[in-house]
Amino acid sequence: MDAKLKSSKADQATIKSGALKGAVVVCVVALSGYFFSPFRDLRLPSAADRVLFTLKWQSLSILTLLWAFRQVERIRFTTIAIDPTHPQADALVDVPRRYLQNTLEQLIISIFGQVILSIHLTNQAPRVIPVLVCLFVLGRIMFWIGYSRDPLKRAPGFFTTFAPNLVMSFLNVGFLFWELFNLS
């Protein structure tokens, strides 16, 4: 790779430090939310009950996408970017559009992952769903604040959103294989 295209050690350190901060946020929120959840005594005996509970909670996650749309719309409406063919239009909406794109990608993973996870959860375990939703929303807020200040400062928010999605995806694949090999 061309040396001019490589990231600097300082930039890499900023991202690593941000990811570590995100990991701390995930651990604190996940553990606090799980153990001190107001949903500790929630009883959802059927998979259908758990899926419906999970889908209801997604209304909060979807707000992050609506907020992202609003940021792009606000800049488009109040600047020359109102004409998307203007040569400078893309530059004006670059960060909000990237935030919107990443939020949509993470939201798809999060919603599908939570719905699948809710099918596998036991009767009392759905209290993890509000924790995952809160982590998602908090992560998106942190991502926006960091990204809008300096793109290299987006890592804490990205990690706060991505890490739970990653863990949830691996859990769901694990549950799938567990069921596949224990059906016979």
Side-chain angles (χ1 to χ4, degrees):
M1 179 186 294
D2 186 356
K4 292 184 281 187
L5 298 178
K6 288 188 175 184
S7 58
S8 73
K9 296 287 185 201
D11 289 350
Q12 291 173 0
T14 299
I15 296 295
K16 287 178 184 177
S17 171
L20 182 59
K21 290 174 186 171
V24 169
V25 169
V26 169
C27 290
V28 168
V29 171
L31 291 173
S32 299
Y34 187 78
F35 289 109
F36 302 109
S37 170
F39 301 102
R40 291 185 70 153
D41 296 325
L42 183 66
R43 302 271 189 258
L44 299 171
S46 74
D49 291 335
R50 294 187 299 272
V51 167
L52 287 173
F53 176 79
T54 300
L55 289 173
K56 288 176 185 178
W57 271 90
Q58 300 317 306
S59 59
L60 293 176
S61 297
I62 289 170
L63 289 177
T64 64
L65 189 64
L66 293 172
W67 194 84
F69 280 128
R70 173 68 179 118
Q71 298 314 303
V72 173
E73 180 271 331
R74 180 184 55 81
I75 291 172
R76 285 222 184 267
F77 189 74
T78 60
T79 67
I80 58 170
I82 198 166
D83 173 4
T85 63
H86 190 283
Q88 295 173 334
D90 284 345
L92 289 171
V93 293
D94 185 51
V95 169
R97 194 178 54 208
R98 289 173 187 262
Y99 172 80
L100 172 62
Q101 178 69 37
N102 187 262
T103 298
L104 177 61
E105 295 162 355
Q106 295 291 337
L107 184 64
I108 290 168
I109 295 167
S110 181
I111 289 175
F112 277 102
Q114 288 178 45
V115 168
I116 294 165
L117 184 64
S118 72
I119 294 167
H120 298 292
L121 296 176
T122 61
N123 183 28
Q124 293 181 3
R127 67 183 180 199
V128 76
I129 297 300
V131 173
L132 291 169
V133 169
C134 290
L135 278 169
F136 183 85
V137 172
L138 179 61
R140 293 290 85 196
I141 292 168
M142 292 167 52
F143 186 78
W144 172 255
I145 291 169
Y147 209 152
S148 61
R149 290 183 180 166
D150 176 357
L152 292 177
K153 306 250 183 200
R154 71 193 187 279
F158 180 83
F159 193 87
T160 300
T161 306
F162 180 71
N165 281 347
L166 185 65
V167 170
M168 186 171 38
S169 296
F170 281 117
L171 280 172
N172 286 335
V173 169
F175 283 129
L176 173 66
F177 283 114
W178 177 263
E179 287 179 3
L180 285 174
F181 293 112
N182 284 313
L183 287 177
S184 39

